[in-house]
Amino acid sequence: MGAPTWAWISRRVEAKVIGRALEHASKIIEVAEVSYKLFQEFKEGSADKVKKTYGVVHQLEKEADDIKRSILKELSRGFIHPIDREELVRLVLINDDIAAYLKAATRRASLVEPNEITVVIRNLITKMVERVVESTKLLKKAIEALVNNPENALELADSVERLEEEVDEIRMEALAEVLKFCDKARPSACIIAKEIVDSVENSEDRCEDSADVIRSIVVLRT
């Protein structure tokens, strides 16, 4: 197979994979949006609604996982340059982690009576998740921009990094509140509150990691 033909096949397969990556990114946004809805219900103290909404998060995360497996199968066929393939694999796996950490956070929220945790902590968690939603939307736009507007992809990646810094600040505020809460709360509620904060923060960290991969892809192509 000649070099021009191989390059043509590679570009076609890569375009297909990026299209699937956008589908995956859309599903991650759905997970984030429903997680935000759940934490609004958590903030309002509605345990029954939280449990019901968790079922939706669980299903959406499973659908995202199915798309991820399909993309990895496509990439395993080897029709893309190894460097591009490695970066695309990283992008898909990291994006999938965003959903996985949100699922973990919502699962933990479904295990506790919301009103056992202070309103201040619940508000801060909801603010963190709101920024995760923003980050997932920016990441999808950045993936779209990889093909036709790499410079814009870099700008969008920078915006995700700034959101991660915001989440880190909110997390520190939330942890200070959790420490005060743990002096008086039942151990189980204390543990759950801390783990929810950590899971949401991990989700936003993976958003930043995804932004770093997008930067890497842009640099490798220029």
Side-chain angles (χ1 to χ4, degrees), residues 143-151:
I143 295 169
E144 289 173 330
L146 279 174
V147 178
N148 299 316
N149 194 347
E151 186 174 330

Side-chain angles (χ1 to χ4, degrees), residues 117-163:
I117 296 172
T118 67
V119 173
V120 174
I121 294 171
R122 284 181 275 151
N123 280 336
L124 290 168
I125 291 169
T126 305
K127 285 173 66 177
M128 291 172 69
V129 178
E130 184 177 21
R131 282 152 181 79
V132 176
V133 174
E134 291 179 52
S135 293
T136 59
K137 292 178 179 179
L138 289 170
L139 287 171
K140 183 185 176 185
K141 289 179 181 178
I143 295 169
E144 289 173 330
L146 279 174
V147 178
N148 299 316
N149 194 347
E151 186 174 330
N152 189 40
L154 290 176
E155 292 172 2
L156 291 162
D158 290 343
S159 296
V160 173
E161 184 175 5
R162 287 192 289 272
L163 282 169

Side-chain angles (χ1 to χ4, degrees), residues 79-91:
F79 290 117
I80 298 176
H81 188 282
I83 293 176
D84 290 340
R85 185 166 66 245
E86 181 179 347
E87 292 304 306
L88 288 169
V89 166
R90 285 181 61 210
L91 181 65

Side-chain angles (χ1 to χ4, degrees), residues 177-220:
E177 291 295 330
V178 169
L179 287 174
K180 289 191 290 185
F181 170 67
C182 288
D183 287 338
K184 302 175 183 179
R186 290 193 305 122
S188 58
C190 170
I191 291 167
I192 289 290
K194 170 67 164 55
E195 289 191 349
I196 291 172
V197 171
D198 286 346
S199 292
V200 176
E201 196 255 346
N202 285 336
S203 183
E204 182 61 29
D205 279 348
R206 297 309 270 167
C207 289
E208 185 185 24
D209 291 342
S210 181
D212 287 341
V213 174
I214 288 168
R215 289 190 186 104
S216 177
I217 291 171
V218 171
V219 169
L220 287 169

